[in-house]
């Protein structure tokens, strides 16, 4: 078993690395700036090594058995004690390994990617240590979230994840689009976090039921132990509040709009956010508190239906996107929908298995997109094509990631995606039949858009890269770049090769039908102490056929050009416009709700009330004070006889009232 001090170091090493990088930002320490990358990599690599030791220690046992530490007490006997600690069970151990491992790989990739970006930004090398400081602190916050023993402790790290995602998405803060995207991500996720906070408060209101059992209402093991005794109503409202926070962080409908715009950050940031950190936090939260969710059929059906709808909804938007990173962003939203779908039909182990596999192939796809951008200096696929001729390693990496995302046998995505479909097909909830068909439709669209991406980017003839982009359409960092027809350096291609190996083998090794040496069949499910799902040849065959059909349609439309969607005329143009505008939800939120309803309605009404009523009452009180003082001042004449007369009159009035009372 990993010692508790070592468990705290899983959080502490990236935190220390981030603080060191911040210290290196001082202008008189410019010589240390290039070393910041190595410090960041060392911190996350150390956390990864300890996480692997935690995974090894968690095998065959429920948890590490650390006792929480009492911090303070509130409310005396009827209150509660605030505790902090590390919860290191199989779920948190495997999640910590994924977070720290992917972060280490991404930061190694960043050594090459961000060096060139820093050189390009007019020699702004101060961006280099700032980047690695944010990345290390972001990783530390996510690891703190994963290992939290207490729900309040988890919420603190949850908000820190939001803070550092804001800083990383808006890393190029001099670009208006990046600053706006960072604010959008921060505000939209805060809406979900308000629901999260309500869920925590609702559990606190029922602390008496926990106290009767001798449990703390905020400690996660206590919540799971008390969940069967709470009642369906309490479980429903608490679970729905917590799910609101999860939906915001994991970009589920209708709080999904921030994630595509989050692509304004550096590409390695997008890779880390999408693969293993911020967006995975929501899925982890529901899986962490699954014992509470499963006490409410309404909460479970809500999670499943929101997940199934989001899987199709986001995949549809990915069909028409031309920005390579935004295609992958919509893909992430869709795949997260798959995970929530699995949670909603009662298969948390399957959901976490897909999260595990998704971390590798989605990180691989984003790093491949960054590698392509490193050469052609644009993210617009309409100006790419033929890139595989001079970037063979990047092409093979993207192809492996795309095949895994599409769920093609035997890559990792095949195993976990088909387990989700199998869980929905065999699910007993009311939502299960609906979400199965939604997931199958999303599988077809996923294969289509990912092969569209591969064909538009790597096949055909080169269409000019950034040199062909109209100058007015270029983003600021593209204005001074030109195409460089060469493969990315080894420091960037090696992480992609490593991730490609995992994208090929992680699913088969962790969930094979037969044991592979020391690895038992369905190892992942057994490790999480979940029932091993049955492998359905029928479901696997149907999903594979659907995926191959989507890939074939993409090949006919964008490879051989045998099919042209333009012949559908107006309906196709309208559909393409609808998808390109993301079903106009951004316009609904930003234009109608924010600018018209809130700004011109509620905010103006609040401004009028503040100026006319609140300020008016204050001004009226001041007017009475000023004018009352002037009236009283008229009586101060300085004549003794006037004061004497006033005293005599006062005494007479008092005497009269006294006599009347008798």
């Amino acid at each position: 078993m990993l010692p508790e001090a070592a468990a705290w170091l899983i959080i502490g090493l990236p935190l220390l690395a981030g603080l060191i990088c911040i210290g290196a930002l001082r202008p008189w320490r410019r010589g240390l700036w290039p070393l910041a990358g190595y410090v960041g990599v060392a911190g996350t690599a150390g956390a990864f090594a300890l996480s692997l030791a935690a995974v090894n220690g968690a095998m065959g046992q429920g948890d590490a058995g650390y006792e929480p530490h009492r911090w303070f007490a509130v409310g005396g006997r009827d209150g509660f004690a605030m505790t902090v600690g590390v919860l290191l069970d199989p779920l948190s151990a495997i999640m910590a390994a994924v977070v720290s491992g992917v972060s280490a790989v991404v930061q190694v990739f960043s050594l090459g990617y961000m060096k060139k970006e820093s050189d390009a930004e007019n020699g702004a090398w101060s961006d280099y240590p700032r980047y690695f400081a944010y990345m290390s602190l972001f990783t530390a916050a996510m690891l703190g979230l994963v290992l939290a023993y207490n729900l309040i402790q988890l919420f603190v790290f949850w908000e820190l994840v939001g803070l550092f995602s804001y800083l990383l998405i808006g890393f190029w803060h001099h670009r208006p689009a990046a600053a706006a995207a960072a604010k959008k991500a921060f505000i939209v996720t805060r809406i979900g976090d308000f629901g999260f906070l309500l869920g925590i408060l609702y559990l606190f209101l029922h602390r008496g039921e926990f106290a009767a059992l001798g449990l703390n209402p905020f400690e996660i093991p206590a919540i799971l132990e008390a969940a069967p005794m709470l009642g369906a109503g309490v479980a429903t409202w608490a679970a729905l509040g917590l799910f609101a926070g999860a939906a915001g962080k994991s970009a589920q409908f209708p709080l999904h709009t921030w994630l595509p715009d989050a692509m304004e950050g550096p590409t390695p940031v997008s890779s880390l956010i999408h693969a293993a950190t911020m967006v995975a936090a929501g899925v982890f939260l529901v899986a962490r508190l699954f014992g509470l969710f499963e006490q409410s059929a309404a909460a479970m059906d809500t999670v499943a239906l929101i997940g199934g709808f989001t899987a199709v909804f986001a995949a549809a938007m990915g069909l028409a996107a031309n920005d390579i990173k935004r295609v992958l962003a919509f893909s992430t939203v869709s795949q997260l929908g798959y995970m929530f779908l699995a949670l909603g039909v009662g298969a948390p182990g399957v959901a976490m298995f897909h999260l595990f596999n998704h971390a590798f192939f989605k990180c691989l796809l984003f790093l491949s997109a960054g590698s392509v951008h490193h050469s052609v200096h644009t993210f617009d696929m309409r100006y790419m094509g033929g890139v595989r001729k001079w970037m063979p390693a990047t092409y093979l990496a993207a192809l492996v990631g795309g095949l895994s995302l599409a769920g093609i046998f035997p890559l990792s995505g095949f195993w976990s995606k088909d387990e989700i479909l199998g869980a929905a097909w065999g699910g007993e909830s009311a939502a299960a039949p609906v979400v199965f068909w939604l997931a199958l439709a999303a599988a077809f669209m996923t294969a289509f858009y990912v092969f569209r991406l591969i064909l538009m980017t790597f096949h055909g003839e080169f269409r000019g890269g950034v040199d062909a982009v109209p100058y007015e359409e270029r983003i600021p960092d593209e204005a001074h770049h030109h195409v460089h027809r060469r493969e990315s350096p080894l420091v960037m291609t090696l992480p992609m090769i490593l991730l490609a190996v995992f994208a090929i083998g992680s699913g088969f090794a962790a969930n094979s039908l037969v044991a592979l040496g020391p690895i038992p069949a369905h190892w992942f499910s057994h490790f999480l102490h979940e029932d091993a799902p049955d492998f359905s040849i029928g479901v696997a065959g149907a999903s594979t056929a659907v995926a191959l059909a989507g890939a074939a349609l993409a090949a006919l439309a964008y490879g051989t050009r045998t099919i042209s969607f333009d012949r559908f005329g107006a309906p196709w143009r309208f559909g393409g416009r609808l998808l390109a505008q993301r079903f106009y939800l951004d316009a609904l939120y930003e234009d109608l709700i924010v600018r018209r309803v809130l700004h011109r309605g509620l905010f103006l009404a609040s401004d009028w009330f503040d100026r006319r009523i609140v300020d008016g009452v204050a001004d009226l009180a001041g007017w009475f004070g000023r004018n009352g003082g002037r009236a009283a001042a008229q009586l101060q004449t300085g004549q003794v006889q006037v004061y004497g007369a006033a005293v005599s009159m006062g005494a007479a009035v008092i005497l009269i009232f006294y006599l009347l009372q008798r």
Side-chain angles (χ1 to χ4, degrees):
M1 183 175 70
L2 195 69
E4 185 180 0
W8 281 105
L9 277 177
I10 296 176
I11 307 170
L13 289 177
L15 175 62
L16 179 62
L19 295 176
I20 292 174
C21 291
I22 288 176
L25 279 170
R26 297 178 181 178
W28 57 85
R29 296 180 180 173
R30 292 185 181 182
L32 299 177
W33 288 357
L35 299 178
Y38 301 105
V39 172
V41 171
T44 51
F48 178 59
L50 290 173
S51 298
L52 290 180
V55 170
N56 183 62
M59 290 181 181
Q61 61 185 42
D63 56 60
Y66 307 134
E67 288 295 324
H69 303 279
R70 185 186 177 102
W71 187 9
F72 60 84
V74 176
R77 288 178 53 192
D78 297 328
F80 71 99
M82 178 61 189
T83 58
V84 295
V86 173
L87 179 56
L88 195 57
D89 61 358
L91 176 62
S92 57
I94 197 72
M95 192 69 187
V98 170
V99 171
S100 55
V102 171
S103 179
V105 171
V106 169
Q107 291 199 49
V108 170
F109 180 90
S110 301
L111 293 174
Y113 187 89
M114 289 306 297
K115 180 180 183 301
K116 185 169 184 178
E117 292 294 315
S118 299
D119 285 338
E121 293 287 331
N122 300 318
W125 264 92
S126 60
D127 288 336
Y128 194 75
R130 180 166 64 92
Y131 169 84
F132 284 99
Y134 291 167
M135 288 286 274
S136 298
L137 294 173
F138 185 46
T139 303
M142 186 64 192
L143 289 169
L145 185 159
V146 166
L147 298 174
Y149 191 92
N150 187 291
L151 204 55
I152 300 296
Q153 181 185 348
L154 188 151
F155 186 74
V156 170
F157 284 110
W158 183 276
E159 293 303 305
L160 286 174
V161 167
L163 169 64
F164 290 114
S165 67
Y166 166 80
L167 294 173
L168 285 167
I169 293 168
F171 185 79
W172 306 122
H173 50 80
H174 56 279
R175 303 178 192 164
K183 288 187 289 185
K184 185 176 182 178
F186 192 80
I187 292 170
V188 173
T189 53
R190 293 292 75 68
I191 295 172
D193 292 352
F194 178 69
F196 189 178
L197 188 58
L198 290 179
I200 295 175
L201 293 174
Y202 194 75
L203 287 173
F204 177 74
L205 289 176
H206 291 82
R207 62 191 180 278
E209 299 172 40
F210 286 87
L213 299 170
L215 300 173
N216 188 312
F218 289 148
E219 291 181 354
I220 292 172
I223 295 171
L224 297 178
E225 183 180 343
M229 282 78 80
L230 290 178
V234 176
T236 297
W237 288 111
L240 289 177
L242 297 173
F243 177 62
K249 272 287 191 291
S250 294
Q252 296 297 283
F253 178 87
L255 300 178
H256 65 282
T257 55
W258 67 270
L259 192 55
D261 289 345
M263 299 303 96
E264 294 294 337
T267 300
V269 169
S270 304
S271 178
L272 186 58
I273 288 176
H274 286 252
T277 51
M278 184 172 178
V279 297
V283 177
F284 172 79
L285 176 66
V286 178
R288 173 85 285 171
L289 296 169
F290 186 75
L292 176 66
F293 278 80
E294 66 179 348
Q295 303 305 316
S296 169
M300 293 286 283
D301 286 343
T302 300
V303 173
L305 290 171
I306 291 291
F309 177 77
T310 304
V312 173
F313 185 74
M317 291 185 284
L319 299 175
N322 292 315
D323 185 302
I324 189 171
K325 287 173 64 177
R326 279 180 169 77
V327 174
L328 297 176
F330 289 125
S331 168
T332 299
V333 177
S334 180
Q335 296 302 305
L336 291 166
Y338 269 103
M339 298 172 205
F340 280 110
L341 185 159
L343 289 165
V345 298
V350 172
M352 291 305 298
F353 182 43
H354 193 55
L355 187 152
F356 176 76
N357 288 333
H358 177 266
F360 300 124
F361 64 71
K362 184 52 61 68
C363 184
L364 174 61
L365 285 168
F366 267 105
L367 295 189
S368 300
S371 180
V372 171
H373 177 262
H374 195 260
S375 174
V376 301
H377 297 291
T378 181
F379 292 110
D380 196 325
M381 297 186 298
R382 293 172 296 181
Y383 302 103
M384 297 182 186
V387 175
R388 66 188 176 98
K389 296 174 183 176
W390 66 86
M391 304 189 79
T394 300
Y395 170 65
L396 289 175
L399 184 60
V400 168
L403 289 170
S404 187
L405 172 59
I408 303 300
F409 178 85
L411 281 79
S412 61
F414 166 81
W415 299 99
S416 52
K417 184 197 71 174
D418 282 4
E419 284 193 4
I420 292 174
L421 289 167
W425 178 256
E428 298 178 357
S429 66
V434 177
V435 297
F436 170 78
W437 294 107
L438 289 174
L440 202 61
F444 174 83
M445 289 187 279
T446 299
F448 179 86
Y449 67 65
V450 74
F451 277 93
R452 172 179 178 263
L453 180 151
I454 291 171
L455 291 168
M456 289 183 68
T457 303
F458 295 100
H459 289 259
E461 296 299 322
F462 184 55
R463 293 182 290 276
V466 70
D467 296 331
V469 178
Y471 190 83
E472 62 276 7
E473 295 181 13
R474 299 183 187 183
I475 60 176
D477 71 327
E478 293 177 347
H480 49 266
H481 280 302
H482 298 284
V483 174
H484 301 284
R485 299 196 184 197
R486 58 176 178 265
E487 182 62 270
S488 296
L490 193 62
V491 73
M492 295 171 65
T493 54
L494 274 180
M496 291 191 290
I497 293 171
L498 178 62
L499 288 168
V501 171
F502 278 96
I504 293 170
S506 66
F508 189 74
N511 201 54
S512 59
L513 298 176
V514 295
L516 295 176
I519 303 176
H522 297 294
W523 174 84
F524 198 91
S525 297
H526 290 309
F527 179 72
L528 296 181
H529 303 292
E530 299 286 342
D531 294 333
D534 295 327
F535 182 80
S536 172
I537 296 178
V539 171
S543 65
T544 301
V546 165
L548 291 175
L553 182 61
L556 292 173
Y558 296 96
T560 63
R561 306 285 179 178
T562 305
I563 296 176
S564 175
F565 294 114
D566 293 333
R567 65 181 181 180
F568 291 102
W572 169 254
R573 288 193 295 273
F574 171 76
R577 204 162 46 243
L578 187 66
L579 296 178
Q581 294 298 323
R582 309 177 195 176
F583 293 96
Y584 293 96
L585 279 178
D586 289 87
L588 172 67
Y589 291 164
E590 297 176 22
D591 185 51
L592 181 62
I593 295 178
V594 174
R595 293 190 180 91
R596 300 191 183 189
V597 175
L598 294 179
H599 180 68
R600 298 180 186 175
L602 180 62
F603 295 162
L604 287 179
S606 299
D607 178 66
W608 179 89
F609 183 82
D610 181 65
R611 288 186 293 104
R612 300 294 183 182
I613 306 301
V614 177
D615 290 351
V617 170
D619 292 343
L620 182 63
W623 183 86
F624 275 115
R626 290 192 305 272
N627 291 283
R630 291 194 186 99
Q634 303 305 314
L635 301 176
Q636 306 302 317
T637 62
Q639 298 179 2
V640 177
Q641 60 270 30
V642 174
Y643 298 155
V647 170
S648 300
M649 291 177 61
V653 170
I654 293 172
L655 180 62
I656 291 171
F657 273 101
Y658 174 74
L659 294 174
L660 289 175
Q661 292 297 322
R662 295 187 64 188

